[in-house]
Amino acid sequence: MTGDTTTVAFIGLGNMGIPMALQLIAAGHRVAGYDVSADARAALVTQGGIASDNLTEVVAGADIVILMLPNSDIVTQVTSDPEFQAGLHADLFVIDMGSSEPMVTRALAEHLAGIGITLIDAPVSGGVRGAASGTLTIMVGGSGPAVDRVQNVLTPLGRIVRTGPVGSGHVVKALNNLLSATHLWATSEAMLVGERFGVDPKVMLDVLNGSSGRSGSTENKWPNFILSETYDSGFGLRLMLKDMRIANALAVELGVPNELGDFAAERWADAAEDLPSTADHTEIAHWIASRAH
Ligand code: NAD
């Protein structure tokens, strides 16, 4: 690390990883990207980044490793990969910016701490647009000094909110997405009723957005991805379902009643069974409409 320039290994170059890696490069950091997919590595290079297929080298050369992977199972797979482990060195910081399972994150943090490596969780909201514009909300779990130490690589990505000890960012993220998915389902049903009566959907959204029915679904998802019929938010339907299940499992583990959350996840699971694996989460609205008689 020299001055404010940090060497970052960016692992997971998907819908979110690539625009985030590009933001870090634009902020002056040295970034080496890694992904199992050769296409993903090529996409970063095409957009002006540097990518490697050598996981050990990328980790060994880094001050900070950022993980932007689909789920905890894959985080565990990558961090226990002998090629990853061969690159580990003292004083390395690992930031899991994907939406992972808080209890798995806690256990991984303890394990890494035992070998002198600090894990911070810093999942994000704001989607692909927020990633591309450096306006994500970043939910950061970790000790104060640890978060201070990595702040210069998080700042270019968005607004930092310190949520508490390690794992707490992943808790807040999963709960946010459980709410977001539940709002999206409820909004999609309400929009159908209004439309069936003959109200213009744009007028409905105008009213909702000036009223208490407002949410991210009425302000962003419906106007930008559903009414436009593009369904291209860049956030997969199955990733949303994964987050809902993380939140629901947490409620069980903590002994808190969670009836609506469980019901919402069952409904989203029905949609996931019907829709292709690549479906965007905003396709839920179309799917709900397609079942209305
Ligand atoms: P994505 O599926 O587009 O990208 C994931 C990337 O990880 C892919 O390029 C894949 O090849 C790579 N990968 C998979 N296994 C790997 C391995 N073993 N080693 C290295 N790379 C591997 O997913 P995304 O939409 O970028 O989401 C990433 C994370 O961020 C998820 O946890 C998701 O829930 C969360 N998230 C996504 C959004 C969004 O709008 N897309 C928003 C907030 C949070």
Side-chain angles (χ1 to χ4, degrees):
M1 193 164 53
T2 43
D4 256 2
T5 302
T6 298
T7 303
V8 178
F10 204 109
I11 301 178
L13 305 170
N15 288 334
M16 293 294 284
I18 287 195
M20 290 167 70
L22 293 175
Q23 281 293 328
L24 292 177
I25 294 166
H29 296 300
R30 281 184 294 263
V31 180
Y34 173 86
D35 196 291
V36 273
S37 152
D39 287 350
R41 296 195 302 269
L44 179 63
V45 173
T46 305
Q47 294 175 68
I50 294 170
S52 163
D53 62 359
N54 187 325
L55 185 55
T56 305
E57 247 174 49
V58 164
V59 173
D63 304 309
I64 295 177
V65 174
I66 292 181
L67 306 175
M68 197 55 185
L69 296 163
N71 55 47
S72 275
D73 285 351
I74 295 178
V75 167
T76 302
Q77 189 186 316
V78 169
T79 53
S80 54
D81 185 327
E83 288 185 14
F84 180 91
Q85 296 198 341
L88 294 178
H89 51 92
D91 300 328
L92 183 68
F93 284 72
V94 178
I95 314 178
D96 182 3
M97 299 197 74
S99 308
S100 304
E101 295 168 44
M103 301 305 186
V104 177
T105 302
R106 254 194 200 169
L108 179 61
E110 270 174 36
H111 168 73
L112 288 176
I115 52 173
I117 290 157
T118 307
L119 179 77
I120 289 166
D121 55 317
V124 299
S125 65
V128 172
R129 289 181 179 199
S133 56
T135 57
L136 295 166
T137 295
I138 312 172
M139 299 150 241
V140 190
S143 74
V147 178
D148 290 346
R149 173 64 184 69
V150 301
Q151 187 151 340
N152 71 327
V153 303
L154 296 178
T155 302
L157 301 175
R159 182 174 74 96
I160 297 168
V161 182
R162 297 181 187 223
T163 50
V166 70
S168 61
H170 284 150
V171 169
V172 180
K173 172 63 193 176
L175 293 170
N176 176 75
N177 277 17
L178 178 62
L179 288 173
S180 170
T182 309
H183 295 161
L184 185 53
W185 186 288
T187 303
S188 300
E189 288 187 340
M191 293 296 290
L192 265 183
V193 176
E195 222 181 326
R196 182 74 57 102
F197 186 84
V199 183
D200 180 340
K202 285 195 182 121
V203 172
M204 283 267 294
L205 288 176
D206 187 23
V207 173
L208 293 174
N209 285 330
S211 309
S212 50
R214 179 177 68 241
S215 69
S217 298
T218 59
E219 288 180 330
N220 174 28
K221 296 176 186 190
W222 257 85
N224 292 325
F225 308 112
I226 298 170
L227 273 191
S228 64
E229 296 184 25
T230 53
Y231 305 105
D232 61 350
S233 77
F235 181 45
L237 187 134
R238 280 168 180 73
L239 288 178
M240 179 64 102
L241 178 58
K242 172 233 359 172
D243 292 343
M244 298 172 82
R245 286 174 166 158
I246 292 172
N248 292 342
L250 199 59
V252 171
E253 188 140 7
L254 299 174
V256 178
N258 184 45
E259 287 175 48
L260 187 52
D262 288 335
F263 184 71
E266 281 168 26
R267 301 285 70 76
W268 276 76
D270 292 343
E273 263 185 34
D274 268 9
L275 290 167
S277 63
T278 51
D280 193 84
H281 80 290
T282 54
E283 287 180 44
I284 196 82
H286 184 251
W287 184 80
I288 292 169
S290 73
R291 295 161 74 236
H293 301 295

